[in-house]
Amino acid sequence: NAGVTQTPKFRILKIGQSMTLQCAQDMNHNYMYWYRQDPGMGLKLIYYSVGAGITDKGEVPNGYNVSRSTTEDFPLRLELAAPSQTSVYFCASSYSELGTPLHFGNGTRLTVT
Amino acid sequence: AQKITQTQPGMFVQEKEAVTLDCTYDTSDQSYGLFWYKQPSSGEMIFLIYQGSYDEQNATEGRYSLNFQKARKSANLVISASQLGDSAMYFCAMREGRRDDKIIFGKGTRLHILP
């Protein structure tokens, strides 16, 4: 049972480059989330989705885009990478019921130089 | 707007003592859920405990319990008989039940257990 799979684990980008962080879950979860965690800080919500075809902005959406064409996949796109986007990115998923916890991927460590 | 506040950036506790990690929240929704997660130095996020706003009893899971005071909007995590392996970052999180499905996190508390 893979759970939530994030790829890549590590990436170094040059300023202005673009990339897509992949996230896939095999638990048939409706809800999926993207967070970023800066060093020593908490998690900030970037985007989230409550089902295929539905996405919504979180706390820090600027500089990112998402799509949700299937229940399983929720890729995060960075356009024109900036040093401020250096962070660890976590994807998470859950069922829709209020009390169900998030299942997290192992994170992607991104450095923009 | 929903908000989570963790006011203790770091704590040092002697092994085997109990420890309380503070979490206050703000929401205008009557239906909401509160979660605690642990993040060891390896980086993964581990779910610890959940409290629903309508739950009458404080949640407990093994050595973890949640001191839920609804009127004060606080949901403090209590770890009994702390162990060296409890050294980690701890995050409080909230999801509102009706307004939207965002789950937001506090800034976290770094707990150090001393031998």
Side-chain angles (χ1 to χ4, degrees):
Chain A
N1 193 0
V4 179
T5 303
Q6 287 184 241
T7 55
K9 288 189 169 72
F10 304 94
R11 183 73 186 267
I12 298 173
L13 279 182
K14 293 190 185 303
I15 294 171
Q17 287 185 323
S18 300
M19 77 164 294
T20 299
L21 281 66
Q22 301 291 345
C23 177
Q25 54 90 12
D26 62 358
M27 296 171 283
N28 204 30
H29 286 166
N30 283 340
Y31 288 16
M32 295 187 75
Y33 300 82
W34 274 106
Y35 292 91
R36 59 175 288 174
Q37 184 179 26
D38 298 334
M41 300 296 286
L43 282 73
K44 290 288 190 183
L45 180 62
I46 305 171
Y47 270 96
Y48 65 106
S49 168
V50 300
I54 305 169
T55 62
D56 212 341
K57 294 178 181 178
E59 302 168 282
V60 290
N62 291 345
Y64 306 95
N65 278 301
V66 293
S67 60
R68 184 98 182 268
S69 56
T70 67
T71 299
E72 294 79 20
D73 300 298
F74 191 39
L76 177 72
R77 178 85 177 159
L78 278 73
E79 305 281 2
L80 299 174
S84 60
Q85 293 178 305
T86 294
S87 192
V88 178
Y89 291 83
F90 286 99
C91 179
S93 69
S94 75
Y95 292 114
S96 58
E97 289 77 15
L98 180 60
T100 57
L102 290 171
H103 293 253
F104 282 86
N106 288 331
T108 294
R109 185 175 296 275
L110 176 67
T111 302
V112 182
T113 62
Chain B
Q2 60 190 111
K3 186 178 178 182
I4 290 278
T5 303
Q6 294 181 256
T7 57
Q8 306 153 308
M11 289 185 69
F12 289 83
V13 172
Q14 209 66 41
E15 190 181 9
K16 298 181 186 175
E17 289 184 352
V19 56
T20 298
L21 305 180
D22 295 341
C23 173
T24 58
Y25 60 91
D26 191 22
T27 178
S28 53
D29 205 332
Q30 296 301 310
S31 175
Y32 52 89
L34 296 153
F35 303 81
W36 277 91
Y37 291 86
K38 173 183 178 181
Q39 186 180 43
S41 57
S42 51
E44 75 266 31
M45 296 290 289
I46 302 167
F47 166 69
L48 295 177
I49 196 166
Y50 167 78
Q51 180 84 44
S53 60
Y54 292 120
D55 294 343
E56 293 184 353
Q57 306 265 359
N58 285 343
T60 60
E61 288 287 348
R63 293 187 301 113
Y64 303 109
S65 61
L66 211 150
N67 183 1
F68 181 49
Q69 299 188 40
K70 196 169 181 177
R72 292 186 176 186
K73 293 189 174 179
S74 74
N76 299 338
L77 177 70
V78 180
I79 306 175
S80 63
S82 57
Q83 302 170 355
L84 294 177
D86 294 333
S87 294
M89 281 287 284
Y90 288 82
F91 294 102
C92 182
M94 178 172 68
R95 177 179 159 189
E96 290 179 331
R98 297 203 180 96
R99 290 181 181 272
D100 59 42
D101 297 293
K102 292 179 187 174
I103 300 176
I104 64 162
F105 283 73
K107 291 184 178 179
T109 296
R110 183 169 295 280
L111 177 64
H112 304 269
I113 305 299
L114 303 172

